[in-house]
Amino acid sequence: MEHDLQLRAAARAIYDACYPSEEWAPLGFNEAERYATVQYRQAVGAAQQARLVLLDKAVQPGLFPEQAGA
């Protein structure tokens, strides 16, 4: 993932949000990436899914419901 900096940043944001302390995950993001922990793999998977949703043009119109009478 070192070549996709945007995906790595998204995975890190998800990892940090889901595993904010040692109580949740024993390693920080960099170490988790190095050892490919289950938490890291979950964060990467979530980032990949999020990217697909964010790039899906068909999803965008559903984000803002039409206002009645506008």
Side-chain angles (χ1 to χ4, degrees):
M1 177 145 50
E2 63 192 42
H3 300 293
D4 190 339
L5 298 179
Q6 212 172 26
L7 184 63
R8 185 177 188 275
R12 181 183 204 114
I14 291 168
Y15 186 93
D16 290 344
C18 293
Y19 307 111
S21 68
E22 287 184 9
E23 293 175 13
W24 294 89
L27 302 173
F29 179 80
N30 291 332
E31 293 81 18
E33 182 180 32
R34 184 176 313 128
Y35 298 113
T37 66
V38 66
Q39 294 89 352
Y40 169 77
R41 293 191 311 269
Q42 289 172 333
V44 170
Q48 290 170 332
Q49 290 176 358
R51 178 168 56 183
L52 291 175
V53 170
L54 293 171
L55 293 176
D56 186 355
K57 302 282 188 234
V59 173
Q60 292 301 318
L63 293 176
F64 304 104
E66 295 178 3
Q67 296 180 4

